[in-house]
Amino acid sequence: MTVNFNHKQSAHCENGVVSNLLRFHGMEFDEPMVFGIGSGLFFTYLPFVRVNGIPGVAYRIWPGQIFKRFSDRIGIKIERKKFSNPAKAMDELDRMLDKGQPVGMLTSVFFLDYLPAAYRFHFNAHNIIVFGKENGRYLVSDPVMETTTEISYEDLARARFAKGMPEPSGRMYYPVQIPGDYSVEKALWTGIKQTSDHMTRIPMPLVGTKGMKYLAGRLRKWPERIGNRKAILWLGNLIRMQEEIGTGGAGFRFIYAAFLDQAAHKLNTDKLTDLSRQLTKSGDQLRDFAYYAGRVCKNRKSDTKTFAELGDMLEACSRQEHAIFQELYEVSQSK
């Protein structure tokens, strides 16, 4: 069960899986275009939703939505399946591989034994592609890996049915119909409009740039509210979600900035080039935030900042991004 599959490494798993699957079917969309058209950039802070006892924070939309939005806007028909039984899920995977169809799927990082031990933790929303099977082992295109790899039946089944939030439930997906004709320009503007709308105009304090500002305020008070030890634990998780889980916040800014730069050329709109540069600077500021937050977590004695100062840095990022996405929304509304 093998096909001629072209693997390309990417910064973020879902973007990479979508790009690699579409390339197999003859459609060339790189990672920034997938992420931008799919309106992947987002922010939410959910203090009432605990993951391993720590408030939830995300710098992107819910797993699976990038591919759904992208496919809807380009006109790609996607088959999606989930299962209650691991054996049935693995049998269905074999059936698709027999047909020569590479399959995208959700997995838990913890059970992917080809990853270094330091990166294997309980995160159940990692996307990979299985494109073949040889000698009882599955051939894997994992976007975070430089080359393709392989995994056993047992470990893949565990990864597909890990417990926790969200449960992968054996989810798998693949294109079944590719459009002969589509409007890239319309898809670009639709993606831009939704991202800028969700970052600035949802009337809730926990999402978009409002959510960043809200988190900044909570961050300042963590040591007093929950104690220094727990505050450092929560701060460490915030860094991990920003910088390690699927490229995180700063990395997503760089990817989206690259998308805006590409869109500027395709749409002949110079304003998008300027906003691309501004968003790159915002990504740099978030990286600075992660640097200083990391030094706090490691108890460094020099070049450190207080929790209050870290909150100020994050709030400054929220103000800058609100201005960027508000202007981006206004540009998209005129089209």
Side-chain angles (χ1 to χ4, degrees):
M1 304 178 189
T2 60
V3 296
N4 184 21
F5 187 83
N6 181 18
H7 168 85
K8 285 191 177 181
Q9 191 177 24
S10 64
H12 175 246
C13 66
E14 188 172 344
N15 299 329
V17 163
V18 175
S19 180
N20 284 336
L21 279 177
L22 295 182
R23 187 178 301 106
F24 177 81
H25 290 277
M27 299 185 76
E28 288 289 338
F29 284 94
D30 65 7
E31 179 175 18
M33 291 294 283
V34 169
F35 188 63
I37 292 175
S39 298
L41 190 144
F42 190 52
F43 181 86
T44 183
Y45 174 64
L46 301 174
F48 47 83
V49 176
R50 300 297 174 96
V51 181
N52 298 324
I54 301 174
V57 60
Y59 290 80
R60 55 151 294 169
I61 59 170
W62 189 256
Q65 287 299 299
I66 294 175
F67 200 3
K68 182 180 186 305
R69 293 173 176 179
F70 179 90
S71 58
D72 287 346
R73 289 161 189 172
I74 296 297
I76 302 167
K77 184 178 180 181
I78 305 297
E79 182 74 24
R80 297 177 177 85
K81 299 179 180 179
K82 68 176 182 177
F83 305 86
S84 58
N85 182 285
K88 290 182 179 179
M90 298 302 285
D91 287 345
E92 180 63 15
L93 171 60
D94 287 347
R95 190 175 73 84
M96 298 312 302
L97 295 178
D98 277 335
K99 292 183 175 182
Q101 171 66 65
V103 175
M105 61 184 63
L106 274 186
T107 61
S108 168
V109 171
F110 186 78
F111 295 105
L112 301 178
D113 66 347
Y114 55 78
L115 293 173
Y119 292 96
R120 293 172 59 193
F121 57 96
H122 293 285
F123 175 67
N124 291 352
H126 185 59
N127 291 265
I128 65 173
I129 296 173
V130 174
F131 65 91
K133 188 177 183 182
E134 290 182 350
N135 302 319
R137 294 180 65 82
Y138 290 92
L139 306 181
V140 176
S141 167
D142 188 322
V144 305
M145 302 289 287
E146 186 175 356
T147 61
T148 58
T149 184
E150 60 182 43
I151 191 171
S152 69
Y153 178 103
E154 293 77 15
D155 283 332
L156 182 59
R158 291 190 191 103
R160 296 182 68 190
F161 284 87
K163 300 302 181 182
M165 190 188 76
E167 288 195 14
S169 301
R171 283 181 173 81
M172 52 188 278
Y173 52 89
Y174 45 88
V176 293
Q177 185 175 320
I178 303 297
D181 187 31
Y182 52 89
S183 172
V184 173
E185 290 78 9
K186 181 180 179 181
L188 290 170
W189 282 123
T190 302
I192 289 170
K193 186 177 296 184
Q194 183 171 40
T195 298
S196 56
D197 176 88
H198 285 186
M199 285 297 289
T200 61
R201 300 176 69 82
I202 295 178
M204 291 177 59
L206 301 178
V207 299
T209 57
K210 299 183 186 73
M212 294 177 70
K213 182 179 179 180
Y214 183 88
L215 173 57
R218 298 291 284 251
L219 173 61
R220 294 186 184 100
K221 300 175 182 178
W222 278 353
E224 292 77 20
R225 286 186 56 249
I226 60 177
N228 196 59
R229 184 178 179 277
K230 186 176 283 188
I232 289 175
L233 181 65
W234 286 17
L235 183 61
N237 181 70
L238 180 60
I239 299 169
R240 184 168 70 170
M241 295 305 295
Q242 179 180 309
E243 299 298 330
E244 295 181 12
I245 306 297
T247 79
F252 283 144
R253 270 65 188 167
F254 300 139
I255 295 172
Y256 199 81
F259 160 71
L260 290 178
D261 188 59
Q262 291 186 39
H265 290 88
K266 291 183 178 295
L267 300 171
N268 194 28
T269 306
D270 292 338
K271 189 59 183 176
L272 296 182
T273 303
D274 177 57
L275 291 170
S276 171
R277 295 193 187 100
Q278 293 183 44
L279 194 59
T280 298
K281 292 179 180 178
S282 178
D284 290 337
Q285 289 184 342
L286 278 170
R287 282 276 152 89
D288 288 342
F289 167 81
Y291 167 79
Y292 287 108
R295 294 189 69 79
V296 171
C297 291
K298 294 179 180 179
N299 196 27
R300 295 294 188 254
K301 302 301 181 184
S302 63
D303 196 24
T304 60
K305 294 186 181 294
T306 65
F307 274 80
E309 289 172 323
L310 290 174
D312 292 342
M313 293 181 71
L314 189 58
E315 185 170 345
C317 289
S318 76
R319 287 197 302 268
Q320 179 170 339
E321 293 205 354
H322 188 83
I324 292 170
F325 286 104
Q326 180 62 37
E327 189 167 0
L328 193 58
Y329 180 79
E330 292 170 0
V331 172
S332 68
Q333 283 293 93
S334 65
K335 303 299 177 182

